[in-house]
Amino acid sequence: MAVYVDDMMASFGRMKMCHMMADTTEELLAMADQIGVARKWLQKPGSHMEHFDIAMSKRRLAVAAGAVEVKRRDLGMLMRKRNGKSFDPDCVTCWEGGVS
């Protein structure tokens, strides 16, 4: 199982943001707690698109805590897999059992 952060750098005011997703809700919330992201910022809870938008400073903390750096496309493939749609099986976020 794993937590993932993508390479997106979207502007939000003066900040740059990326996405953080995980194989499970529990892992996602545990990482958010660990890096200081309030649970109230969870986007699309309970859906195949469940994630946090996090600042680059929080991304660095997540990576230091074990999050896997991936491309935006990888998170898109994870969402497709969760939604029962076709996905690229070579995508790192879609490996059975997550990234080791």
Side-chain angles (χ1 to χ4, degrees), residues 57-72:
S57 59
K58 298 297 185 183
R59 184 185 194 279
R60 284 188 291 279
L61 292 173
V63 170
V68 178
E69 296 177 281
V70 298
K71 302 283 184 195
R72 283 179 61 192

Side-chain angles (χ1 to χ4, degrees), residues 29-89:
L29 294 176
M31 181 63 79
D33 293 343
Q34 185 173 349
I35 65 172
V37 174
R39 289 181 174 210
K40 71 179 181 178
W41 297 114
L42 182 63
Q43 309 258 332
K44 315 279 186 188
S47 78
H48 67 280
M49 296 174 26
E50 182 176 72
H51 72 282
F52 283 97
D53 292 338
I54 59 171
M56 293 295 113
S57 59
K58 298 297 185 183
R59 184 185 194 279
R60 284 188 291 279
L61 292 173
V63 170
V68 178
E69 296 177 281
V70 298
K71 302 283 184 195
R72 283 179 61 192
R73 179 181 183 279
D74 294 313
L75 293 188
M77 288 295 112
L78 179 59
M79 286 187 270
R80 290 184 63 81
K81 180 182 178 185
R82 287 180 177 173
N83 201 29
K85 295 185 177 179
S86 63
F87 60 91
D88 179 355

Side-chain angles (χ1 to χ4, degrees), residues 1 14 32 62:
M1 300 302 189
R14 297 184 334 213

